Amino acid sequence: MRENKKTNTEGLEKMTESQRPFAKINLWMMGICLALIILGFLLMSGGGSSDTTFNPEVFSTRRIVVGPLLSFLGFLFMAFAIIYRPKKKK
């Protein structure tokens, strides 16, 4: 029969700041980018036209220019926030 081995937690070492995949600044930048993406999608949302009435608000600048631009910039900066490596302190 096999013996049940207990996990040895004494051999585990705490991860240092330089070993982490993301620094604190990366997480802040990703949070800001996420908020920018959500804001862009909220600006694009709204009621549409129905079969009987036409709503000219569908073609507003807010919906077809500003919202998509904010979302695109959020996705673009998100890639930068993931790739960014802060300079190491001496």
Side-chain angles (χ1 to χ4, degrees):
M1 290 196 165
R2 297 176 91 186
E3 293 180 22
N4 291 335
K5 292 185 178 180
K6 294 183 179 179
T7 306
N8 185 4
T9 57
E10 295 173 1
L12 298 177
E13 295 177 13
K14 195 168 188 175
M15 190 180 283
T16 64
E17 190 73 32
S18 63
Q19 293 174 328
R20 293 186 179 143
F22 296 118
K24 190 181 280 189
I25 187 72
N26 294 89
L27 298 175
W28 276 102
M29 289 192 310
M30 286 190 279
I32 292 169
C33 292
L34 182 65
L36 195 63
I37 293 167
I38 291 171
L39 178 65
F41 275 96
L42 288 175
L43 289 175
M44 285 187 279
S45 68
S49 296
S50 66
D51 291 337
T52 58
T53 60
F54 174 72
N55 184 3
E57 189 64 26
V58 173
F59 298 111
S60 70
T61 304
R62 174 184 60 94
R63 282 188 173 176
I64 63 173
V65 176
V66 178
L69 183 66
L70 284 178
S71 294
F72 176 72
L73 289 175
F75 282 114
L76 189 68
F77 291 142
M78 182 68 81
F80 174 75
I82 292 171
I83 294 172
Y84 178 74
R85 294 291 264 178
K87 295 181 181 175
K88 296 189 182 217
K89 297 177 184 175
K90 290 184 179 181

Coordinates of all heavy atoms in Angstrom, one line a residue:
M1 N 0.8 -1.2 0.0 CA 0.0 0.0 0.0 C 0.9 1.2 0.0 O 2.0 1.2 0.5 CB -0.9 0.0 1.2 CG -2.0 -1.0 1.2 SD -3.1 -0.4 2.5 CE -4.5 -1.4 2.0
R2 N 0.3 2.3 -0.6 CA 1.0 3.6 -0.6 C 0.8 4.3 0.7 O -0.2 4.3 1.3 CB 0.5 4.4 -1.8 CG 0.8 3.8 -3.1 CD 0.2 4.6 -4.2 NE 1.2 5.5 -4.7 CZ 0.9 6.5 -5.6 NH1 -0.3 6.6 -6.1 NH2 1.8 7.2 -6.0
E3 N 1.9 5.0 1.1 CA 1.8 5.9 2.2 C 1.3 7.3 1.8 O 1.7 7.8 0.8 CB 3.2 6.0 2.9 CG 3.7 4.7 3.5 CD 5.0 4.9 4.1 OE1 5.4 6.0 4.5 OE2 5.7 3.9 4.3
N4 N 0.5 7.8 2.7 CA 0.1 9.2 2.4 C 1.2 10.1 2.9 O 1.5 10.2 4.1 CB -1.3 9.5 3.1 CG -2.4 8.8 2.5 OD1 -2.3 8.4 1.3 ND2 -3.4 8.5 3.3
K5 N 1.7 10.9 2.0 CA 2.8 11.9 2.4 C 2.1 13.2 2.7 O 1.3 13.7 1.9 CB 3.8 12.0 1.2 CG 4.6 10.8 1.0 CD 5.7 11.1 0.0 CE 6.5 9.9 -0.3 NZ 7.6 10.2 -1.3
K6 N 2.5 13.8 3.8 CA 2.0 15.1 4.2 C 2.9 16.1 3.5 O 4.1 16.0 3.3 CB 2.1 15.3 5.7 CG 1.2 14.4 6.4 CD 1.2 14.7 7.9 CE 0.2 13.7 8.6 NZ 0.3 14.0 10.1
T7 N 2.2 17.2 3.1 CA 2.9 18.3 2.4 C 3.9 19.0 3.5 O 3.4 19.3 4.5 CB 1.9 19.3 1.9 OG1 1.0 18.6 1.1 CG2 2.6 20.4 1.1
N8 N 5.1 19.1 3.1 CA 6.1 19.7 3.9 C 6.1 21.2 3.7 O 6.6 21.7 2.6 CB 7.5 19.2 3.6 CG 8.5 19.7 4.6 OD1 8.2 20.4 5.5 ND2 9.7 19.3 4.4
T9 N 5.5 22.0 4.6 CA 5.4 23.4 4.4 C 6.7 24.1 4.9 O 6.9 25.3 4.6 CB 4.2 24.0 5.1 OG1 4.3 23.7 6.5 CG2 2.9 23.5 4.5
E10 N 7.5 23.4 5.6 CA 8.8 24.0 6.0 C 9.7 24.3 4.9 O 10.5 25.2 5.0 CB 9.4 23.1 7.1 CG 8.6 23.0 8.3 CD 9.2 21.9 9.3 OE1 10.3 21.4 8.9 OE2 8.6 21.7 10.3
G11 N 9.7 23.6 3.8 CA 10.6 23.7 2.7 C 10.2 24.8 1.7 O 10.9 25.2 0.9
L12 N 8.9 25.4 1.9 CA 8.5 26.4 1.0 C 9.0 27.8 1.4 O 9.0 28.1 2.6 CB 6.9 26.5 1.0 CG 6.2 25.2 0.5 CD1 4.7 25.4 0.6 CD2 6.6 25.0 -0.9
E13 N 9.5 28.5 0.5 CA 10.0 29.8 0.7 C 9.0 30.9 0.2 O 8.4 30.7 -0.8 CB 11.4 30.0 0.1 CG 12.4 29.1 0.6 CD 13.7 29.2 -0.1 OE1 13.9 30.2 -0.9 OE2 14.6 28.4 0.1
K14 N 9.0 32.0 0.9 CA 8.1 33.1 0.5 C 8.7 33.7 -0.8 O 9.9 33.9 -0.9 CB 8.0 34.1 1.6 CG 6.9 35.0 1.4 CD 6.6 35.8 2.7 CE 5.3 36.6 2.5 NZ 4.9 37.3 3.7
M15 N 7.8 34.1 -1.7 CA 8.2 34.7 -2.9 C 8.7 36.1 -2.7 O 8.0 36.9 -2.0 CB 7.1 34.6 -3.9 CG 7.4 35.0 -5.3 SD 6.0 34.9 -6.5 CE 5.9 33.2 -6.7
T16 N 9.8 36.5 -3.3 CA 10.3 37.8 -3.1 C 9.6 38.7 -4.1 O 9.0 38.3 -5.1 CB 11.8 37.9 -3.3 OG1 12.2 37.5 -4.6 CG2 12.5 37.0 -2.2
E17 N 9.8 40.0 -3.9 CA 9.2 41.0 -4.8 C 9.7 40.9 -6.3 O 9.0 41.0 -7.2 CB 9.5 42.4 -4.3 CG 8.7 43.5 -5.0 CD 7.3 43.6 -4.6 OE1 6.9 43.2 -3.5 OE2 6.4 43.9 -5.5
S18 N 11.0 40.5 -6.4 CA 11.5 40.4 -7.8 C 11.1 39.1 -8.5 O 11.2 39.1 -9.7 CB 13.1 40.5 -7.7 OG 13.6 39.4 -7.0
Q19 N 10.6 38.2 -7.8 CA 10.2 36.9 -8.4 C 8.7 36.9 -8.8 O 8.3 36.0 -9.5 CB 10.4 35.8 -7.4 CG 11.8 35.5 -7.1 CD 11.9 34.4 -6.0 OE1 11.1 34.3 -5.1 NE2 13.0 33.6 -6.0
R20 N 8.0 37.9 -8.4 CA 6.5 38.0 -8.7 C 6.4 38.4 -10.2 O 7.2 39.2 -10.7 CB 5.8 39.0 -7.9 CG 5.8 38.5 -6.4 CD 4.9 39.4 -5.6 NE 4.9 38.9 -4.2 CZ 4.9 39.7 -3.2 NH1 4.9 41.0 -3.3 NH2 4.9 39.2 -2.0
P21 N 5.4 37.8 -10.9 CA 5.2 38.2 -12.3 C 4.8 39.6 -12.5 O 5.1 40.2 -13.5 CB 4.2 37.2 -12.8 CG 3.5 36.7 -11.6 CD 4.5 36.8 -10.4
F22 N 4.0 40.2 -11.6 CA 3.6 41.6 -11.7 C 3.9 42.3 -10.5 O 3.8 41.8 -9.4 CB 2.0 41.6 -11.9 CG 1.6 41.0 -13.2 CD1 0.7 39.9 -13.2 CD2 2.0 41.5 -14.4 CE1 0.3 39.3 -14.3 CE2 1.6 40.9 -15.6 CZ 0.7 39.8 -15.6
A23 N 4.4 43.6 -10.7 CA 4.6 44.5 -9.5 C 3.3 45.2 -9.2 O 2.3 45.1 -9.9 CB 5.7 45.4 -9.9
K24 N 3.4 45.9 -8.1 CA 2.2 46.7 -7.7 C 1.7 47.7 -8.7 O 0.5 47.9 -9.0 CB 2.5 47.4 -6.4 CG 1.3 48.0 -5.7 CD 1.6 48.7 -4.4 CE 1.8 47.7 -3.3 NZ 1.9 48.4 -2.0
I25 N 2.7 48.3 -9.4 CA 2.3 49.3 -10.5 C 1.6 48.6 -11.6 O 0.7 49.2 -12.2 CB 3.6 50.1 -10.9 CG1 3.2 51.2 -11.9 CG2 4.6 49.2 -11.6 CD1 2.6 52.4 -11.2
N26 N 2.0 47.4 -12.0 CA 1.3 46.7 -13.0 C -0.2 46.4 -12.7 O -1.0 46.6 -13.5 CB 2.0 45.3 -13.3 CG 3.4 45.4 -13.8 OD1 4.3 45.5 -13.1 ND2 3.5 45.5 -15.1
L27 N -0.4 46.1 -11.4 CA -1.8 45.8 -11.0 C -2.6 47.1 -11.0 O -3.8 47.1 -11.4 CB -1.8 45.1 -9.6 CG -1.1 43.8 -9.6 CD1 -1.0 43.3 -8.1 CD2 -1.8 42.8 -10.5
W28 N -2.0 48.2 -10.6 CA -2.7 49.5 -10.7 C -3.0 49.9 -12.1 O -4.1 50.3 -12.4 CB -1.9 50.6 -10.0 CG -2.0 50.6 -8.5 CD1 -1.2 50.2 -7.6 CD2 -3.2 51.2 -7.8 NE1 -1.7 50.4 -6.3 CE2 -2.9 51.0 -6.4 CE3 -4.3 51.8 -8.2 CZ2 -3.8 51.4 -5.5 CZ3 -5.2 52.2 -7.2 CH2 -4.9 52.0 -5.9
M29 N -2.1 49.7 -13.0 CA -2.3 50.0 -14.4 C -3.4 49.2 -15.0 O -4.2 49.6 -15.8 CB -1.0 50.0 -15.2 CG 0.0 51.1 -14.9 SD 1.4 51.2 -16.0 CE 2.1 49.6 -16.1
M30 N -3.4 47.9 -14.7 CA -4.4 47.0 -15.2 C -5.8 47.3 -14.7 O -6.8 47.2 -15.4 CB -4.0 45.5 -14.9 CG -2.9 45.0 -15.8 SD -2.7 43.2 -15.6 CE -1.7 43.1 -14.1
G31 N -5.9 47.7 -13.4 CA -7.1 48.1 -12.9 C -7.7 49.4 -13.6 O -8.9 49.5 -13.9
I32 N -6.8 50.3 -13.8 CA -7.2 51.6 -14.6 C -7.7 51.2 -16.0 O -8.7 51.8 -16.5 CB -6.1 52.6 -14.5 CG1 -5.8 53.1 -13.1 CG2 -6.3 53.7 -15.5 CD1 -4.6 53.9 -12.9
C33 N -6.9 50.3 -16.6 CA -7.3 49.9 -18.0 C -8.7 49.2 -18.0 O -9.5 49.4 -18.9 CB -6.2 49.0 -18.6 SG -4.7 49.9 -18.9
L34 N -8.9 48.4 -17.0 CA -10.2 47.7 -16.9 C -11.3 48.7 -16.7 O -12.4 48.6 -17.3 CB -10.2 46.7 -15.8 CG -11.4 45.9 -15.6 CD1 -11.6 44.9 -16.8 CD2 -11.3 45.0 -14.3
A35 N -11.1 49.7 -15.9 CA -12.1 50.7 -15.7 C -12.4 51.5 -17.0 O -13.5 51.9 -17.3 CB -11.7 51.7 -14.6
L36 N -11.3 51.8 -17.8 CA -11.4 52.5 -19.0 C -12.2 51.6 -20.0 O -13.1 52.2 -20.8 CB -10.0 52.8 -19.6 CG -9.9 53.8 -20.7 CD1 -10.4 55.1 -20.2 CD2 -8.5 53.9 -21.1
I37 N -12.0 50.3 -20.1 CA -12.7 49.4 -21.0 C -14.2 49.4 -20.6 O -15.1 49.5 -21.4 CB -12.1 48.0 -20.9 CG1 -10.7 48.0 -21.5 CG2 -13.0 47.0 -21.6 CD1 -9.9 46.8 -21.3
I38 N -14.5 49.3 -19.3 CA -15.9 49.3 -18.8 C -16.6 50.6 -19.1 O -17.7 50.6 -19.6 CB -16.0 48.9 -17.3 CG1 -15.5 47.5 -17.1 CG2 -17.3 49.2 -16.8 CD1 -15.4 47.1 -15.7
L39 N -15.9 51.7 -18.9 CA -16.5 53.0 -19.3 C -16.8 53.1 -20.7 O -17.9 53.6 -21.1 CB -15.5 54.1 -18.8 CG -16.0 55.5 -19.1 CD1 -17.2 55.9 -18.3 CD2 -14.9 56.5 -18.9
G40 N -15.9 52.6 -21.6 CA -16.2 52.6 -23.0 C -17.4 51.8 -23.4 O -18.2 52.3 -24.2
F41 N -17.6 50.7 -22.8 CA -18.7 49.8 -23.1 C -20.0 50.5 -22.6 O -21.1 50.4 -23.2 CB -18.6 48.4 -22.5 CG -17.8 47.5 -23.4 CD1 -16.5 47.3 -23.3 CD2 -18.5 46.8 -24.5 CE1 -15.8 46.5 -24.1 CE2 -17.8 46.0 -25.3 CZ -16.4 45.8 -25.2
L42 N -19.9 51.1 -21.4 CA -21.1 51.8 -20.9 C -21.5 53.0 -21.8 O -22.7 53.3 -22.0 CB -20.8 52.3 -19.5 CG -20.8 51.3 -18.4 CD1 -20.4 51.9 -17.1 CD2 -22.1 50.5 -18.3
L43 N -20.5 53.7 -22.3 CA -20.8 54.8 -23.3 C -21.5 54.3 -24.6 O -22.2 55.0 -25.2 CB -19.6 55.6 -23.6 CG -19.1 56.5 -22.4 CD1 -17.7 57.1 -22.8 CD2 -20.1 57.5 -22.0
M44 N -21.1 53.1 -25.0 CA -21.7 52.5 -26.2 C -23.1 52.0 -26.0 O -23.9 51.8 -26.9 CB -20.8 51.4 -26.7 CG -19.6 51.9 -27.4 SD -18.7 50.5 -28.2 CE -17.8 49.8 -26.8
S45 N -23.5 51.7 -24.7 CA -24.8 51.1 -24.5 C -25.9 52.1 -24.6 O -25.7 53.3 -24.5 CB -24.8 50.5 -23.1 OG -24.7 51.4 -22.1
G46 N -27.1 51.6 -24.6 CA -28.3 52.5 -24.7 C -29.4 51.8 -25.5 O -29.2 50.7 -26.1
G47 N -30.5 52.5 -25.6 CA -31.7 51.9 -26.3 C -31.4 52.1 -27.8 O -30.7 52.9 -28.3
G48 N -32.0 51.2 -28.5 CA -31.9 51.2 -30.0 C -33.2 51.6 -30.7 O -34.2 52.0 -30.0
S49 N -33.3 51.5 -31.9 CA -34.5 51.7 -32.7 C -35.4 50.5 -32.7 O -34.9 49.4 -32.6 CB -34.2 52.1 -34.1 OG -33.5 53.3 -34.2
S50 N -36.7 50.7 -32.7 CA -37.6 49.6 -32.8 C -38.1 49.5 -34.3 O -37.8 50.3 -35.1 CB -38.8 49.8 -31.8 OG -39.5 50.9 -32.2
D51 N -39.0 48.6 -34.5 CA -39.6 48.4 -35.8 C -40.5 49.6 -36.3 O -40.6 49.9 -37.4 CB -40.4 47.1 -35.9 CG -39.5 45.9 -35.8 OD1 -38.3 46.0 -36.1 OD2 -40.0 44.8 -35.4
T52 N -41.1 50.2 -35.3 CA -42.1 51.3 -35.6 C -41.5 52.7 -35.5 O -41.9 53.6 -36.2 CB -43.3 51.2 -34.7 OG1 -42.9 51.3 -33.4 CG2 -44.0 49.9 -35.0
T53 N -40.4 52.9 -34.7 CA -39.9 54.2 -34.5 C -38.4 54.2 -34.7 O -37.7 53.2 -34.5 CB -40.1 54.8 -33.1 OG1 -39.5 53.9 -32.1 CG2 -41.6 54.9 -32.8
F54 N -37.8 55.3 -35.2 CA -36.4 55.4 -35.4 C -35.8 56.3 -34.3 O -36.3 57.4 -34.1 CB -36.1 56.0 -36.8 CG -34.7 56.3 -37.0 CD1 -33.8 55.3 -37.2 CD2 -34.2 57.6 -37.0 CE1 -32.4 55.6 -37.4 CE2 -32.9 57.9 -37.2 CZ -32.0 56.9 -37.4
N55 N -34.8 55.9 -33.7 CA -34.1 56.6 -32.7 C -32.8 57.2 -33.2 O -31.8 56.4 -33.4 CB -33.8 55.8 -31.5 CG -33.2 56.5 -30.3 OD1 -33.1 57.7 -30.4 ND2 -32.9 55.8 -29.2
P56 N -32.7 58.5 -33.5 CA -31.4 59.0 -34.1 C -30.2 59.0 -33.1 O -29.1 59.2 -33.5 CB -31.8 60.4 -34.5 CG -33.0 60.8 -33.6 CD -33.7 59.5 -33.4
E57 N -30.5 58.7 -31.8 CA -29.5 58.6 -30.8 C -28.5 57.4 -31.1 O -27.4 57.4 -30.5 CB -30.1 58.5 -29.4 CG -29.2 58.6 -28.3 CD -28.5 60.0 -28.2 OE1 -29.0 61.0 -28.6 OE2 -27.4 60.0 -27.6
V58 N -29.0 56.5 -31.9 CA -28.1 55.3 -32.3 C -26.8 55.8 -32.9 O -25.8 55.2 -32.8 CB -28.9 54.4 -33.2 CG1 -28.0 53.3 -33.7 CG2 -30.1 53.8 -32.4
F59 N -26.9 56.9 -33.7 CA -25.7 57.4 -34.4 C -25.1 58.5 -33.7 O -24.4 59.3 -34.4 CB -26.2 57.8 -35.8 CG -26.7 56.6 -36.6 CD1 -28.1 56.6 -36.9 CD2 -25.9 55.6 -37.0 CE1 -28.6 55.5 -37.6 CE2 -26.5 54.5 -37.7 CZ -27.8 54.5 -38.1
S60 N -25.2 58.7 -32.4 CA -24.5 59.8 -31.7 C -23.0 59.6 -31.7 O -22.5 58.4 -31.7 CB -25.1 59.9 -30.3 OG -24.7 58.8 -29.5
T61 N -22.3 60.7 -31.6 CA -20.8 60.6 -31.5 C -20.4 59.8 -30.3 O -19.4 59.1 -30.3 CB -20.3 62.0 -31.4 OG1 -20.8 62.8 -32.6 CG2 -18.8 62.0 -31.5
R62 N -21.1 59.9 -29.2 CA -20.8 59.2 -28.0 C -20.8 57.7 -28.2 O -19.9 57.0 -27.7 CB -21.8 59.6 -26.9 CG -21.6 58.8 -25.6 CD -22.6 59.1 -24.6 NE -24.0 58.8 -25.0 CZ -24.6 57.7 -24.7 NH1 -24.0 56.7 -24.1 NH2 -25.9 57.5 -25.2
R63 N -21.7 57.2 -29.0 CA -21.9 55.8 -29.2 C -20.9 55.2 -30.2 O -20.5 54.1 -30.1 CB -23.3 55.4 -29.6 CG -24.2 55.4 -28.4 CD -25.5 54.9 -28.9 NE -26.4 54.7 -27.7 CZ -27.7 54.3 -27.9 NH1 -28.1 54.1 -29.1 NH2 -28.4 54.2 -26.9
I64 N -20.7 56.0 -31.3 CA -19.9 55.4 -32.4 C -18.5 55.9 -32.5 O -17.7 55.3 -33.2 CB -20.6 55.6 -33.8 CG1 -20.7 57.1 -34.1 CG2 -22.0 55.0 -33.8 CD1 -21.2 57.4 -35.5
V65 N -18.1 56.9 -31.6 CA -16.7 57.3 -31.7 C -16.1 57.2 -30.3 O -15.0 56.6 -30.1 CB -16.6 58.8 -32.2 CG1 -15.2 59.3 -32.1 CG2 -17.1 58.9 -33.6
V66 N -16.7 57.9 -29.3 CA -16.0 58.0 -28.0 C -16.0 56.7 -27.2 O -14.9 56.3 -26.7 CB -16.8 59.1 -27.1 CG1 -16.1 59.2 -25.7 CG2 -16.7 60.5 -27.8
G67 N -17.1 56.0 -27.2 CA -17.1 54.7 -26.5 C -16.1 53.7 -27.1 O -15.3 53.1 -26.3
P68 N -16.2 53.4 -28.4 CA -15.2 52.5 -29.0 C -13.8 52.9 -28.8 O -12.9 52.1 -28.6 CB -15.6 52.4 -30.4 CG -17.0 52.8 -30.5 CD -17.2 53.8 -29.4
L69 N -13.5 54.2 -28.9 CA -12.1 54.7 -28.8 C -11.6 54.5 -27.3 O -10.5 54.0 -27.2 CB -12.1 56.2 -29.1 CG -10.7 56.9 -29.0 CD1 -9.8 56.3 -30.1 CD2 -10.8 58.4 -29.2
L70 N -12.4 54.7 -26.3 CA -12.0 54.5 -24.9 C -11.8 53.0 -24.7 O -10.8 52.6 -24.0 CB -13.1 55.0 -24.0 CG -13.1 56.5 -23.7 CD1 -14.2 56.9 -22.8 CD2 -11.8 57.0 -23.2
S71 N -12.6 52.2 -25.2 CA -12.5 50.7 -25.1 C -11.2 50.2 -25.8 O -10.4 49.4 -25.2 CB -13.6 49.9 -25.6 OG -14.8 50.2 -24.9
F72 N -10.9 50.7 -27.0 CA -9.7 50.3 -27.7 C -8.5 50.8 -27.0 O -7.5 50.0 -26.8 CB -9.8 50.9 -29.1 CG -8.5 50.6 -29.9 CD1 -8.3 49.3 -30.4 CD2 -7.6 51.6 -30.2 CE1 -7.1 49.1 -31.1 CE2 -6.4 51.4 -30.9 CZ -6.2 50.1 -31.3
L73 N -8.5 52.0 -26.5 CA -7.3 52.5 -25.7 C -7.1 51.7 -24.4 O -6.0 51.4 -24.0 CB -7.5 54.0 -25.4 CG -7.3 54.9 -26.6 CD1 -7.6 56.4 -26.2 CD2 -6.0 54.8 -27.3
G74 N -8.2 51.3 -23.8 CA -8.1 50.5 -22.6 C -7.5 49.1 -22.9 O -6.6 48.7 -22.2
F75 N -7.9 48.5 -24.0 CA -7.2 47.2 -24.4 C -5.8 47.4 -24.8 O -4.9 46.6 -24.5 CB -8.0 46.6 -25.6 CG -9.3 45.9 -25.2 CD1 -10.5 46.4 -25.6 CD2 -9.3 44.8 -24.3 CE1 -11.7 45.7 -25.2 CE2 -10.4 44.1 -24.0 CZ -11.6 44.6 -24.4
L76 N -5.5 48.5 -25.5 CA -4.1 48.8 -25.9 C -3.2 49.0 -24.7 O -2.1 48.4 -24.6 CB -4.1 50.0 -26.8 CG -2.8 50.3 -27.5 CD1 -2.5 49.2 -28.6 CD2 -2.9 51.6 -28.2
F77 N -3.7 49.8 -23.8 CA -2.9 50.1 -22.6 C -2.8 48.9 -21.6 O -1.8 48.7 -20.9 CB -3.4 51.3 -21.8 CG -3.2 52.6 -22.6 CD1 -4.2 53.6 -22.5 CD2 -2.1 52.8 -23.3 CE1 -4.0 54.8 -23.2 CE2 -1.9 54.0 -24.0 CZ -2.8 55.0 -23.9
M78 N -3.8 48.0 -21.7 CA -3.7 46.8 -20.9 C -2.6 45.9 -21.4 O -1.9 45.3 -20.5 CB -5.0 46.0 -21.1 CG -5.1 44.7 -20.2 SD -5.2 45.0 -18.5 CE -6.9 45.3 -18.3
A79 N -2.3 45.8 -22.7 CA -1.2 45.1 -23.2 C 0.1 45.7 -22.6 O 1.1 45.0 -22.2 CB -1.2 45.0 -24.7
F80 N 0.2 47.0 -22.6 CA 1.4 47.7 -22.1 C 1.5 47.5 -20.6 O 2.6 47.2 -20.1 CB 1.3 49.2 -22.4 CG 2.4 50.0 -21.8 CD1 3.6 50.0 -22.3 CD2 2.1 50.7 -20.6 CE1 4.7 50.7 -21.7 CE2 3.2 51.5 -20.0 CZ 4.4 51.5 -20.6
A81 N 0.4 47.5 -19.9 CA 0.5 47.2 -18.4 C 1.0 45.8 -18.1 O 1.7 45.6 -17.1 CB -0.9 47.5 -17.8
I82 N 0.7 44.9 -18.9 CA 1.1 43.5 -18.7 C 2.6 43.4 -19.0 O 3.4 42.7 -18.3 CB 0.3 42.5 -19.5 CG1 -1.1 42.5 -19.0 CG2 0.9 41.1 -19.5 CD1 -2.1 41.7 -19.9
I83 N 3.1 44.0 -20.1 CA 4.4 43.9 -20.5 C 5.4 44.8 -19.7 O 6.6 44.4 -19.5 CB 4.6 44.3 -22.0 CG1 3.8 43.2 -22.8 CG2 6.0 44.3 -22.5 CD1 3.6 43.6 -24.3
Y84 N 4.9 45.8 -19.1 CA 5.8 46.8 -18.4 C 6.5 46.2 -17.3 O 6.0 45.5 -16.5 CB 4.9 48.0 -17.9 CG 5.7 49.0 -17.2 CD1 6.5 49.9 -17.8 CD2 5.6 49.1 -15.8 CE1 7.2 50.9 -17.1 CE2 6.3 50.0 -15.1 CZ 7.1 50.9 -15.7 OH 7.8 51.9 -15.0
R85 N 7.8 46.4 -17.2 CA 8.7 46.0 -16.1 C 9.3 47.2 -15.4 O 10.0 48.0 -16.1 CB 9.9 45.1 -16.6 CG 9.4 43.8 -17.2 CD 8.9 42.9 -16.2 NE 10.0 42.0 -15.8 CZ 9.7 41.1 -14.8 NH1 8.6 41.0 -14.3 NH2 10.7 40.3 -14.5
P86 N 9.0 47.5 -14.2 CA 9.5 48.6 -13.5 C 11.0 48.5 -13.4 O 11.6 47.4 -13.3 CB 8.8 48.6 -12.1 CG 8.2 47.3 -12.0 CD 8.1 46.7 -13.3
K87 N 11.7 49.7 -13.3 CA 13.2 49.7 -13.2 C 13.5 49.2 -11.8 O 12.8 49.5 -10.8 CB 13.7 51.1 -13.4 CG 13.5 51.5 -14.8 CD 14.1 52.9 -15.0 CE 13.8 53.3 -16.4 NZ 14.2 54.7 -16.7
K88 N 14.6 48.4 -11.7 CA 15.0 47.9 -10.4 C 15.8 48.9 -9.6 O 16.5 49.7 -10.2 CB 15.9 46.6 -10.6 CG 15.2 45.5 -11.3 CD 16.0 44.3 -11.3 CE 15.2 43.2 -12.0 NZ 15.3 41.9 -11.5
K89 N 15.5 48.9 -8.3 CA 16.2 49.9 -7.4 C 17.6 49.3 -7.1 O 17.8 48.1 -7.0 CB 15.4 50.0 -6.1 CG 14.1 50.6 -6.4 CD 13.3 50.7 -5.0 CE 11.9 51.3 -5.3 NZ 11.1 51.3 -4.1
K90 N 18.5 50.2 -7.0 CA 19.9 49.8 -6.7 C 20.1 49.6 -5.2 O 19.6 50.1 -4.4 CB 20.9 50.8 -7.3 CG 21.0 50.7 -8.8 CD 22.0 51.7 -9.3 CE 22.1 51.6 -10.8 NZ 23.1 52.5 -11.3

